[in-house]
Amino acid sequence: VLSTIGLISYKVLLQNSRDGKRQADLGLIQSALEQYHADQFAYPPAGENCSDNSIFFPPVQDRPCPIRYRKDQTTKTYLNPIPIDPLRAPYPQYLYKVSGTAYCIFAVLENPPKDSIGADKFQGSSLCMLIRMLENDLDKYNFAVSPP
């Protein structure tokens, strides 16, 4: 009985540790995006690959991409590489959605807060909640950050 309790406690400890890393990663990405925005007056577009001025999302371990801006002979790197989820694929990876003046970066927490009926509660801005509701396949994401 004690060993079962210990195993469950250890599993929850590992999940909470990974959730803390996820939240820290999204904060790091958010900080880089805000620095980019302060310099370029826009957020970088979401791209299909590691191009010079777009962000490849979701980031993957074998193709780490930076957040950078390149014009003529000048390159400024804001974050290199973009962090990836601690559980890797097939676990849902971080997701970046941008719409000109705002963005949302989504993640899946293993131990999200619960609402009053025990269902997972989404943590994020109303913009991110709206994007999550309107786009297909985003219902698994339960945590998001957006511009401060």
Side-chain angles (χ1 to χ4, degrees):
V1 173
L2 288 176
S3 63
T4 303
I5 293 171
L7 284 174
I8 292 170
S9 296
Y10 182 67
K11 179 182 176 187
V12 170
L13 179 72
L14 289 176
Q15 291 172 334
N16 288 341
S17 175
R18 288 189 296 263
D19 283 349
K21 174 148 180 13
R22 289 179 182 102
Q23 291 172 337
D25 284 351
L26 267 57
L28 191 64
I29 297 168
Q30 180 183 41
S31 176
L33 291 173
E34 293 307 319
Q35 291 172 28
Y36 184 106
H37 185 270
D39 290 346
Q40 310 307 328
F41 306 106
Y43 294 108
E48 299 291 321
N49 55 42
C50 290
S51 72
D52 291 341
N53 299 321
S54 67
I55 300 179
F56 176 64
F57 263 83
V60 290
Q61 186 176 14
D62 60 339
R63 286 187 291 180
C65 296
I67 296 176
R68 67 177 171 222
Y69 183 81
R70 204 178 272 182
K71 184 174 182 180
D72 302 325
Q73 300 298 318
T74 305
T75 300
K76 182 168 183 181
T77 301
Y78 297 90
L79 181 62
N80 188 21
I82 297 170
I84 58 176
D85 190 277
L87 281 182
R88 315 284 193 263
Y91 194 80
Q93 297 299 298
Y94 305 145
L95 187 63
Y96 173 71
K97 296 288 184 176
V98 64
S99 64
T101 60
Y103 63 84
C104 291
I105 312 165
F106 294 91
V108 178
L109 300 181
E110 293 175 77
N111 285 326
K114 305 291 183 194
D115 63 17
S116 60
I117 59 170
D120 289 352
K121 184 177 178 182
F122 178 75
Q123 289 182 280
S125 67
S126 55
L127 169 69
C128 296
M129 186 177 289
L130 179 64
I131 290 171
R132 182 177 174 254
M133 288 176 8
L134 294 176
E135 295 210 14
N136 293 331
D137 300 327
L138 293 185
D139 56 333
K140 63 186 163 227
Y141 291 93
N142 53 29
F143 182 78
V145 296
S146 56

